[in-house]
Amino acid sequence: MTQAPEDFPPASPEQHPAAPAGANPPGPAPLVPGQRSAPEAPRAAAPGPVLPQAEGAETALPQAAPMPPMIEPTQPPSALPVEMAPPGMMHPGAPPLAPPGYGHPMPPGVPPGPIPVSAMPPWPGGPAGYYQPRPEPKRNHFVTLLVVVALVASSVFAGALVNGWRPFAGEAGTIEGLAVEPGEGTVPSPGPDATAAEVLAYLKEQAELVLGAQSESLVNGSLEGWLAAYDPTLHTQMTGRYESLHQMQVSRWDYQIASGPIEDASGAVPLYDISIALSYCFVEPADTCKAADIVFDTRWRADDAGMRMIEVSNSEFGEGPHPWEVTDLVAAVGERTVTAVPVAMEARLEEALAISEAAAENADQWAYWEKPDRYVIYIASDEEFDTWFGGMWDSEDVLGFALPLNGTVGGERQPSTYATVMGVDRTGWGEGLTSVIRHELGHAVTLWAAPSERYADDTWWMVEGVAEYIDHGDRALEDYDRMWDVRDYVAQGGCATDILPPDEDDDTLAGSGKYGCGFLGVHYMIDTYGVDKFAEFFGMTAREGTPAVDAAQTVYGADYAALMEEITAFIAQTV
């Protein structure tokens, strides 16, 4: 991640409230499209969040594998090179006239010098209390639904049995675009004496048919077919969503009903709540792409024209909402990236794509494990930055972040892809934005589809150091942006025997100094032992979860403590 003074991720998945015991019903569950059956699918390393389902229903989704811990945002140096400094900023070494960050002027009345860190969420590798506590986590909407669905289901069935099935009024109509006629499918249209189970089974299949037609319409470029799934009151909003996805060249859009339909008969016309799981990709072929999965809630009305959605909620659980859910975007597709910006930034899209493509070409040199199929890069103003993916970084000092996403890939739900978000109001459109994108794509390429990310004290310096190296490693050490910070931090006793993550006592100098130490540590290991050895070491530790003390013996035939002595001695000699 890229953050202006410091960089610490929000709560890792294991910190979310656990699902209540017994929430999963017995028996096999239907699969997300393309997912392998339970005997074939590997077991997740740790319990994951449970998607909503009615008690005893046949619409459950299997447990999702836990999302890997988020890497930290990148902290910019506390002093900027002359070419990156705002007008009037003095040469490094003189009292700074601007605070840490890429060119943001210092507010009046703020003295120069290190600025205390505030509101930085802790990273998951260390003890609680790093920086100010995070805001109370959002209530887990889907865990709540596990209880609500179980309670409501019985009343829904009872109500249906008492009131009977209310058939569609009038003759069967058609939906514009790809037609789905009421009664189409394999489940018979229920009559007035139908049981609740028959009614809900019929409605579920009808919703599946509508969703399937809509998916086909989107991928094949039919706006009319896409809108046919929605009530006219949603057409303006969903036209914007269609255009965003179409410009990003959506190539996979697979729906699965996660729970429902559940009737809400409190009004004059019964409505039906359905939770939907979605797997989607951009550009790459649907059968081979690295998908991202989301879950969101919808509300439907059934009438003589069939079933249509009248409400669509944004995804929340894990990593929502995705930018295309809440913002009208314009996008461009290059050889390696999909780059999207809000409509208001359309004039800068070509420039943004050029920066992204150059950063992707640079990152691809580090595809030692698995080459990303496509980097997805979103560029945000402050307004979008506070909304996309839940606005998880509540500090204005965060400049950008790379977010690991789970997806259904080859029939298996697993860590699959990355989304990267850049706050251009904070970086500007020059060298700052270029550096942030290079760093964040460094995280994406080194941790892409990592089977068991380890982000702890013994790997922090590698994860952030290699992202810094991917950004700065092609320059001379004396040109490294943080070198002044590392020199001052080491002079204060920093990085004397180890390189540890920033903590709550760190000011901007210490935070930037630790990032710089991580960079120099990676630089030393690559120069001394070779990039292949480092790639093997990084793969075993940061990607596969092996403690560094064990991996050091396997890869280098040396104690990890001895390697750290070499690294810290190099840092002291270099600065």
Side-chain angles (χ1 to χ4, degrees):
M1 242 188 215
T2 312
Q3 168 176 348
E6 282 69 42
D7 166 57
F8 308 91
S12 58
E14 57 268 23
Q15 293 171 302
H16 285 294
N24 287 324
L31 304 177
V32 174
Q35 183 166 7
R36 293 187 296 183
S37 60
E40 300 174 313
R43 185 178 298 275
V50 181
L51 299 177
Q53 61 193 64
E55 183 176 358
E58 297 181 354
T59 53
L61 289 178
Q63 286 191 340
M67 190 179 78
M70 282 192 54
I71 48 187
E72 301 178 5
T74 313
Q75 173 179 329
S78 63
L80 301 178
V82 174
E83 63 270 19
M84 292 176 63
M89 182 173 176
M90 301 178 68
H91 189 276
L97 299 180
Y102 292 115
H104 288 210
M106 179 173 286
V110 177
I115 299 176
V117 178
S118 62
M120 291 300 101
W123 65 285
Y130 282 166
Y131 291 77
Q132 292 185 6
R134 286 184 297 278
E136 183 177 352
K138 293 181 180 178
R139 185 174 181 85
N140 190 324
H141 178 57
F142 293 105
V143 170
T144 302
L145 273 180
L146 285 170
V147 179
V148 173
V149 167
L151 293 176
V152 171
S154 60
S155 64
V156 170
F157 281 88
L161 290 171
V162 171
N163 299 322
W165 163 243
R166 289 167 288 244
F168 294 129
E171 297 180 358
T174 60
I175 296 177
E176 295 296 325
L178 293 176
V180 177
E181 297 185 5
E184 197 175 313
T186 60
V187 179
S189 178
D193 298 326
T195 66
E198 292 170 336
V199 169
L200 296 181
Y202 171 79
L203 291 176
K204 178 185 176 184
E205 187 184 54
Q206 291 299 297
E208 288 173 339
L209 291 171
V210 172
L211 292 170
Q214 190 199 39
S215 173
E216 187 175 343
S217 296
L218 174 63
V219 173
N220 290 326
S222 169
L223 174 60
E224 183 183 37
W226 165 265
L227 292 178
Y230 299 112
D231 185 81
T233 58
L234 295 179
H235 281 186
T236 298
Q237 174 191 353
M238 291 304 167
T239 296
R241 181 170 298 185
Y242 172 91
E243 294 295 344
S244 298
L245 294 168
H246 189 62
Q247 290 206 25
M248 296 182 75
Q249 295 188 21
V250 61
S251 58
R252 172 176 172 178
W253 195 262
D254 292 340
Y255 286 122
Q256 175 78 16
I257 291 181
S259 71
I262 297 173
E263 181 182 5
D264 178 357
S266 59
V269 177
L271 303 175
Y272 299 89
D273 294 328
I274 300 176
S275 184
I276 296 173
L278 167 68
S279 295
Y280 75 88
C281 294
F282 298 119
V283 183
E284 302 302 318
D287 57 346
T288 59
C289 67
K290 292 290 189 176
D293 287 357
I294 65 173
V295 179
F296 56 96
D297 295 331
T298 59
R299 176 162 282 196
W300 298 62
R301 183 177 61 238
D303 57 23
D304 59 352
M307 291 188 71
R308 283 195 175 103
M309 287 177 271
I310 63 170
E311 295 179 24
V312 179
S313 299
N314 296 322
S315 62
E316 295 178 355
F317 179 73
E319 57 268 353
H322 289 218
W324 47 264
E325 293 183 84
V326 291
T327 304
D328 289 343
L329 304 170
V330 291
V333 175
E335 289 293 325
R336 296 293 294 126
T337 73
V338 177
T339 302
V341 303
V343 170
M345 295 184 193
E346 184 172 8
R348 309 301 293 261
L349 179 59
E350 184 176 346
E351 178 182 359
L353 178 65
I355 295 172
S356 298
E357 285 288 303
E361 182 179 359
N362 178 65
D364 277 348
Q365 300 175 60
W366 273 85
Y368 284 91
W369 305 276
E370 182 173 347
K371 186 176 181 179
D373 59 356
R374 182 71 53 165
Y375 300 100
V376 178
I377 299 165
Y378 299 99
I379 296 180
S381 69
D382 279 343
E383 179 181 357
E384 290 87 27
F385 201 86
D386 291 339
T387 303
W388 292 352
F389 297 108
M392 62 182 67
W393 302 99
D394 57 4
S395 169
E396 294 182 359
D397 294 320
V398 176
L399 306 180
F401 58 88
L403 181 67
L405 302 175
N406 285 329
T408 303
V409 180
E412 178 183 343
R413 184 168 166 78
Q414 62 186 33
S416 60
T417 185
Y418 263 77
T420 52
V421 177
M422 313 297 158
V424 73
D425 282 353
R426 306 169 187 197
T427 66
W429 283 91
E431 289 297 320
L433 178 61
T434 298
S435 181
V436 170
I437 294 181
R438 282 167 63 99
H439 179 107
E440 298 307 333
L441 293 194
H443 284 313
V445 72
T446 55
L447 295 171
W448 185 272
S452 181
E453 288 186 21
R454 177 178 173 83
Y455 199 57
D457 284 3
D458 61 349
T459 56
W460 179 90
W461 66 273
M462 284 186 271
V463 171
E464 295 301 335
V466 75
E468 286 283 280
Y469 189 90
I470 290 170
D471 181 14
H472 297 281
D474 55 357
R475 311 178 210 172
L477 282 178
E478 57 266 25
D479 295 332
Y480 177 49
D481 294 343
R482 301 184 194 274
M483 192 60 77
W484 305 292
D485 294 341
V486 180
R487 183 178 298 120
D488 291 345
Y489 180 60
V490 169
Q492 295 177 6
C495 301
T497 59
D498 205 348
I499 308 174
L500 296 176
D503 60 39
E504 74 263 16
D505 296 325
D506 285 343
D507 57 18
T508 299
L509 174 63
S512 182
K514 289 180 176 181
Y515 269 77
C517 287
F519 165 75
L520 292 177
V522 170
H523 198 288
Y524 172 80
M525 295 297 285
I526 291 174
D527 276 6
T528 305
Y529 297 103
V531 68
D532 291 338
K533 285 284 189 182
F534 178 79
E536 183 181 358
F537 188 49
F538 185 92
M540 288 185 65
T541 56
R543 288 180 56 84
E544 298 174 11
T546 303
V549 66
D550 299 324
Q553 285 289 350
T554 301
V555 178
Y556 295 106
D559 291 337
Y560 176 73
L563 290 175
M564 188 53 64
E565 286 182 8
E566 295 179 30
I567 290 171
T568 52
F570 170 76
I571 293 171
Q573 294 166 5
T574 301
V575 300

